[in-house]
Amino acid sequence: MNYSFEYIDIILLAMIAGFIFLRLRGILGKRTGFEGKTTTQFKEVIKNINKINETKKTVEVFDDEAQKEFLKGAKIAYETVITDFSDNDNKITTSRSLLNSEIYNQFNKALNERSSRGHFAEITFIGVNSATIKEHKKIGRILNVTVDFIAEVITCIRDKDKKIVSGDPEKIKKIYDTWVFSRDTTSANPNWQLVNILT
């Protein structure tokens, strides 16, 4: 009789152990055979996603560090646009991707008019003295940043006979500009575009 009770105890314990095992399996899951090493391609995809997320976070927050990085790029963009607009081929080439359609069309119109008069520009870009963020404003997904630039250039306009029409090829001129750059914060493209020139 005692033996039968012992068998019943063993059976009950086995049932309880089985029940606990099934519960743990349901909660924790089971191996599927896919827990091996991740492929190089998968790691690269994750890396790119992280880069995109970091870029979006930086732009959305636009803290002091993000503003410093932005101003570095803004100075390069400023010099590129000024030099491109003022060179003697009367065409926008190197700075095309930095301009939105409206600004590009305005520049292109001015260059066509200059070309029709037979005038050409000469410029020596000395450098950007200062670039400061006047304001930054996020409207929906678009972040607009207004920048005050002070720069120095040597520039003059010559006619087809190379006579000086305006400017002075020997004099450094200080120029003051206020430009507005814009970027879609939801876009994977990290580039900014010039969308307005206030002065």
Side-chain angles (χ1 to χ4, degrees), residues 2-199:
N2 290 335
Y3 287 114
S4 63
F5 278 120
E6 288 177 9
Y7 284 126
I8 290 170
D9 288 343
I10 291 170
I11 291 169
L12 283 172
L13 288 171
M15 289 174 66
I16 291 169
F19 176 76
I20 291 171
F21 173 75
L22 289 173
R23 290 289 293 169
L24 286 172
R25 188 178 183 188
I27 294 168
L28 301 176
K30 59 181 180 177
R31 288 181 67 87
T32 62
F34 202 74
E35 289 86 351
K37 293 181 179 179
T38 55
T39 63
T40 305
Q41 186 179 7
F42 180 75
K43 286 179 180 177
E44 194 64 32
V45 170
I46 293 298
K47 186 178 177 183
N48 290 337
I49 289 172
N50 288 338
K51 281 183 181 178
I52 290 169
N53 288 338
E54 285 172 10
T55 301
K56 285 183 179 178
K57 185 179 178 183
T58 298
V59 172
E60 286 173 0
V61 173
F62 207 62
D63 56 13
D64 289 343
E65 191 62 33
Q67 291 181 32
K68 286 178 184 176
E69 288 302 312
F70 166 80
L71 284 174
K72 287 180 185 176
K75 288 177 184 178
I76 295 170
Y78 181 80
E79 179 177 354
T80 303
V81 172
I82 293 293
T83 304
D84 197 17
F85 181 76
S86 302
D87 62 15
N88 61 15
D89 66 359
N90 287 335
K91 292 179 182 177
I92 294 293
T93 52
T94 55
S95 63
R96 176 64 186 93
S97 62
L98 302 173
L99 313 174
N100 74 348
S101 298
E102 184 179 349
I103 296 297
Y104 172 76
N105 290 336
Q106 288 176 12
F107 279 8
N108 215 31
K109 182 180 178 182
L111 289 172
N112 287 336
E113 289 175 357
R114 191 169 76 190
S115 183
S116 68
R117 292 193 296 269
H119 292 173
F120 301 92
E122 290 180 358
I123 183 170
T124 301
F125 193 91
I126 306 300
V128 177
N129 291 352
S130 68
T132 56
I133 294 175
K134 187 176 181 179
E135 69 171 1
H136 57 89
K137 187 182 296 183
K138 193 165 182 282
I139 304 171
R141 63 186 191 183
I142 305 300
L143 178 61
N144 293 324
V145 184
T146 304
V147 183
D148 287 332
F149 292 99
I150 301 175
E152 290 182 339
V153 297
I154 299 172
T155 183
C156 73
I157 304 294
R158 295 181 186 270
D159 63 16
K160 60 182 179 180
D161 298 320
K162 295 187 177 181
K163 291 180 180 179
I164 296 173
V165 176
S166 64
D168 187 339
E170 304 295 330
K171 185 178 180 181
I172 295 176
K173 179 182 178 183
K174 190 169 282 189
I175 53 177
Y176 301 83
D177 283 314
T178 300
W179 288 8
V180 181
F181 295 91
S182 183
R183 184 185 183 277
D184 184 343
T185 59
T186 64
S187 172
N189 185 349
N191 295 329
W192 296 75
Q193 284 195 322
L194 176 62
V195 297
N196 200 0
I197 295 177
L198 301 180
T199 58

